[in-house]
Amino acid sequence: MTWSRPPLDLSRLRVYPLAQRRSLSAAAEILVAPAAQPAPLPEAAAAAVDDAAERIRAARRRGAAVMLIYGAHLLRNGAALIVDALLAEGWLTHLATNGAGTIHDWEYAWLGRSTESVREGVATGRFGAWDETGRNLHLALLVAGVTGEGYGRGLGRLIAEDGLTLPAPQALAAEIRRDPQHPLTAARAELLAAISRHGLTPGRYTLTHAWKRASILASAFQRDVPLTVHPGIGYDIIANHPLFNGAAIGRAAQRDFAQFCAAVDGLDGGVVLSVGSAIMGPQVFEKSLSCVNNLRLQAGLPIVQGHSIYVVDLQDGGGWDWTGGEPPKTHPAYYLRFCKSYSRMGGAMRYAQADNLAFVHHLFRRLTRNL
């Protein structure tokens, strides 16, 4: 007896209009103005903010990178305008998030609402099965593939420019025939197949994003600050759509990982802020730092050094003082990836137990206090 079964045909998935979904949050209700009074912080977290602000100032004076790696909850808690203000003042040189961070971002920008009940949606087969979300994110990624852009820039462009341009299938086919070994051939073939299979119309595709001020993706694109996206295949609701294309997602994410590595290469004396990213941030950072050190050592250069890392989460850090090193495997705190991985990354790591919005809001106030 064998339990092997053929893969399911996900192109048969039924999707529904996003406006029909009972969304649990609205951009108009969550957005926090930078000038508003921030929520109070615990004393230890406030001290971490002060320390981070001073190190960020020093990093920017010397031209070092300042990276904000964030989870979806920072956006969902209403921090988009504060992050935009940090970008506008030049305090951040690189942003990074996961797939969920981009999905909520796009939904806020287009519909002004996001977030659904997972429990209700899974039971009815509707969780994530929203036409516009899966369709438009995939279109952005497919087009980004043929223009050589990554996930963050491709989706940021869609929002900031209120649409995209789909090339004619005849042009794509001609480019594939003319140079089949071209680096963009696979991306062209994926887009050509999607146009044919899903009846997409070539030309300008206009999509108005009435709430683009709620979008960190659009803000980063407009201010020309790199924002990279680090998704997983099957992690995000865009997998629940007939247009689901793992190749397009992977290609865009591959380019973004290389861009992330470029930011890490500028991190000597710089600062990393990992805010509410329990898995993606530490996992991606440790691989990228190893890549950068590998290339530097080949070139006879010193490894990345002198960087500071601030990790922010609501958990208590496992009841462990991370300034004294990592705990033994017998201690539960050893299994807190967002602390353990960063503590191994060569720089000085400080953990702050705090609400992510409050931390970033206070950091903005500290950085701009003397401006």
Side-chain angles (χ1 to χ4, degrees):
M1 177 183 293
T2 178
W3 291 100
S4 177
R5 296 184 179 185
L8 293 181
D9 181 5
L10 299 182
S11 68
R12 296 175 54 244
L13 287 170
R14 176 182 295 172
V15 291
Y16 305 89
L18 182 59
Q20 291 183 3
R21 185 184 69 194
R22 183 174 71 90
S23 296
L24 304 179
S25 62
E29 298 171 355
I30 65 167
L31 281 175
V32 176
Q37 184 66 29
L41 282 176
E43 184 178 344
V49 168
D50 288 337
D51 189 60
E54 289 307 310
R55 290 180 184 270
I56 289 171
R57 287 193 185 97
R60 297 308 300 126
R61 283 195 296 267
R62 66 170 64 98
V66 177
M67 304 176 68
L68 171 61
I69 305 170
Y70 65 97
H73 279 278
L74 183 64
L75 175 80
R76 288 175 54 184
N77 289 343
L81 299 178
I82 298 170
V83 172
D84 179 67
L86 286 165
L87 294 175
E89 297 289 349
W91 296 117
L92 302 176
T93 65
H94 189 98
L95 304 177
T97 191
N98 55 14
T102 67
I103 289 165
H104 293 297
D105 190 299
W106 180 84
E107 290 186 348
Y108 284 133
W110 182 68
L111 186 65
R113 305 194 303 272
S114 191
T115 316
E116 61 185 303
S117 170
V118 178
R119 185 185 299 276
E120 293 175 9
V122 169
T124 61
R126 289 187 174 223
F127 173 62
W130 308 110
D131 185 29
E132 293 87 352
T133 305
R135 177 177 299 274
N136 290 300
L137 265 70
H138 271 97
L139 289 180
L141 297 182
L142 286 162
V143 171
V146 300
T147 59
E149 292 187 322
Y151 198 131
R153 187 159 180 83
L155 189 50
R157 182 185 295 278
L158 171 72
I159 299 169
E161 298 184 352
D162 286 322
L164 49 78
T165 300
L166 286 171
Q170 299 88 342
L172 288 170
E175 289 172 335
I176 293 170
R177 288 193 299 270
R178 182 168 54 250
D179 188 0
Q181 296 186 30
H182 192 280
L184 298 180
T185 291
R188 291 165 178 166
E190 292 291 339
L191 180 54
L192 178 60
I195 290 173
S196 174
R197 188 177 301 126
H198 299 282
L200 305 177
T201 303
R204 187 63 188 172
Y205 174 70
T206 300
L207 190 70
T208 301
H209 295 82
W211 280 90
K212 59 170 60 73
R213 69 191 185 98
S215 167
I216 296 176
L217 284 160
S219 175
F221 178 85
Q222 291 167 326
R223 299 193 182 281
D224 201 26
V225 175
L227 189 161
T228 54
V229 184
H230 308 276
I233 302 299
Y235 276 41
D236 303 311
I237 66 168
I238 60 173
N240 297 23
H241 196 281
L243 265 166
F244 173 51
N245 189 310
I249 295 170
R251 182 177 295 109
Q254 178 181 348
R255 183 174 180 83
D256 275 12
F257 178 69
Q259 185 75 56
F260 187 97
C261 289
V264 172
D265 195 27
L267 202 53
D268 295 277
V271 177
V272 178
L273 305 167
S274 184
V275 182
S277 183
I279 303 297
M280 179 279 292
Q283 290 290 290
V284 172
F285 188 83
E286 65 184 13
K287 280 76 174 183
S288 67
L289 184 58
S290 181
C291 286
V292 171
N293 287 340
N294 180 303
L295 294 173
R296 285 192 178 195
L297 290 170
Q298 289 185 60
L301 299 173
I303 63 173
V304 176
Q305 53 195 305
H307 51 293
S308 303
I309 304 172
Y310 297 86
V311 182
V312 182
D313 208 286
L314 279 175
Q315 297 189 55
D316 63 5
W320 183 262
D321 180 6
W322 289 91
T323 61
E326 69 180 60
K329 291 182 180 180
T330 54
H331 195 287
Y334 177 86
Y335 300 94
L336 288 181
R337 175 65 63 182
F338 58 85
C339 285
K340 180 177 67 175
S341 288
Y342 281 120
S343 73
R344 297 171 170 178
M345 294 299 105
M349 191 276 277
R350 183 165 182 172
Y351 178 67
Q353 182 184 2
D355 173 82
N356 51 35
L357 171 64
F359 185 93
V360 171
H361 201 173
H362 278 275
L363 180 63
F364 169 75
R365 295 286 290 269
R366 299 288 199 285
L367 288 169
T368 57
R369 177 181 294 166
N370 297 324
L371 293 181

